[in-house]
Amino acid sequence: MAKVLTIAGSDSSGGAGIQADLKTMMAHGVYGMSAVTALTAQNTAGVAAVQEVTPEFLAAEIDAVFEDIRPDAVKVGMVASEDLILVIAEKLREYDAKHIVVDPVMTATSGAELMEKGAEAVLREELFPLAELITPNVPELEILSRRKIRCEKDLVEAARKVWQEAGVNVLGKGGHLGGTANDVLVSAAGIRWYMGQRIDNPNTHGTGCTLSSAIASNLAKAYGLEASVELAKDYLTGALLDGLDLGQGSGPLNHGFALDGDFFRQ
Ligand SMILES: Nc1ncnc2c1ncn2[C@@H]1O[C@H](COP(=O)(O)OP(=O)(O)OP(=O)(O)O)[C@@H](O)[C@H]1O
Ligand SMILES: Cc1ncc(CO)c(N)n1
């Protein structure tokens, strides 16, 4: 069985962060493991509190995983502070981790800030060089590229700028653009669009976490980068199409929409 580690924050409401990642991994038939960077007291309407772990504790979590069950792929999500980013980079280098997907989480769907101002510079210098792919959404890509993104042409140009400057493959996600839900991959192989059907569903809490964990799961199963993104996009679309409607704000997806068989039926 392929093994995947998520290094991310916990979302008490279960729709994003570690919880979304582990559900996504299970749905992909891979063995999921986690190193928690922070606890968030969060629900579909907002983030009430954040409690970070210490750098020493995060290092111990990553050591515990790598020394025993070596992951085939690693997804990095919410990392709020520079000290924690530095620990992750050091440990991933130490263990020569493969297939690293970095989702540069900066704000929650509900609008709450999930990363210290300025930490993106450390992310870029320390973590991007280790990554096989980064998956910024529109606001994150605007910060990373220092450009305004209003349309798909802006999206691909900003993604290409970050690819050139940071030397990392970039999946620019178009979820925030409205109208379409197309994402663009800029890599050494060129530019590839993933055309998504825009689903009329306001419940998009955790879409980014889900997509990046699905990509990491597919990479762990030895799919190539382009196929991993394509399969992940299909999974995300299915989870949104399921139409789960929970909570008072932007609700979570149904990560288990494709789990079938008698065992799962009531
Ligand atoms: N309404 C929608 N219909 C279909 N696909 C969507 C919709 N909204 C977002 N997506 C897709 O979801 C994926 C995640 O993109 P998005 O831009 O929402 O990420 P994000 O803002 O990082 O997510 P989050 O912060 O909620 O975890 C992309 O593949 C995007 O195209
Ligand atoms: C813990 C956590 N990670 C990521 C996101 C972004 O969706 C969130 N809302 N919460």
Side-chain angles (χ1 to χ4, degrees), residues 107 109 137 173 175-176 181 183 197-199 204-209 211 233 236 240:
T107 46
T109 308
N137 64 17
K173 296 177 295 190
H176 292 245
D183 306 334
Q197 161 195 7
R198 175 158 285 272
I199 298 149
T204 58
H205 179 85
T207 48
C209 304
L211 186 75
K233 181 87 175 145
L236 181 94
L240 257 177

Side-chain angles (χ1 to χ4, degrees), residues 152-232:
E152 289 187 349
K153 184 166 167 288
D154 295 345
L155 183 71
V156 66
E157 280 172 9
R160 200 213 291 261
K161 183 166 188 263
V162 174
W163 173 73
Q164 263 166 352
E165 287 176 357
V168 62
N169 299 328
V170 181
L171 182 72
K173 296 177 295 190
H176 292 245
L177 278 181
T180 55
N182 301 333
D183 306 334
V184 66
L185 175 66
V186 180
S187 71
I191 290 168
R192 171 155 174 200
W193 282 96
Y194 294 86
M195 313 308 268
Q197 161 195 7
R198 175 158 285 272
I199 298 149
D200 186 18
N201 182 352
N203 298 304
T204 58
H205 179 85
T207 48
C209 304
T210 301
L211 186 75
S212 55
S213 312
I215 296 170
S217 300
N218 293 325
L219 290 171
K221 290 200 277 186
Y223 286 101
L225 180 61
E226 293 198 10
S228 292
V229 175
E230 186 172 344
L231 290 167

Side-chain angles (χ1 to χ4, degrees), residues 101-113:
V101 178
V102 176
D103 186 15
V105 174
M106 295 178 194
T107 46
T109 308
S110 55
E113 298 292 337

Side-chain angles (χ1 to χ4, degrees), residues 62-92:
I62 299 173
D63 283 338
V65 170
F66 273 90
E67 284 168 6
D68 192 20
I69 306 175
R70 187 183 160 81
D72 301 297
V74 179
K75 171 246 159 96
V76 181
M78 171 192 170
V79 193
S81 66
E82 294 185 12
D83 287 354
L84 294 185
I85 297 171
L86 289 171
V87 164
I88 294 169
E90 185 188 312
K91 287 291 168 192
L92 294 181

Side-chain angles (χ1 to χ4, degrees), residues 8-13 15-21 37-40 42-43 46-47 50 75 77-79 103 105-112 114 137 140 204-210:
S10 161
D11 168 8
S12 49
S13 66
I18 292 282
Q19 288 80 358
D21 298 340
T37 59
L39 306 175
T40 71
Q42 180 177 181
N43 60 26
V47 179
V50 177
K75 171 246 159 96
M78 171 192 170
V79 193
D103 186 15
V105 174
M106 295 178 194
T107 46
T109 308
S110 55
L114 296 177
N137 64 17
E140 290 153 0
T204 58
H205 179 85
T207 48
C209 304
T210 301

Side-chain angles (χ1 to χ4, degrees), residues 136-155:
N137 64 17
V138 165
E140 290 153 0
L141 192 52
E142 287 186 327
I143 290 171
L144 294 171
S145 67
R146 301 175 302 279
R147 283 190 181 188
K148 198 87 202 121
I149 301 173
R150 295 183 197 83
C151 60
E152 289 187 349
K153 184 166 167 288
D154 295 345
L155 183 71

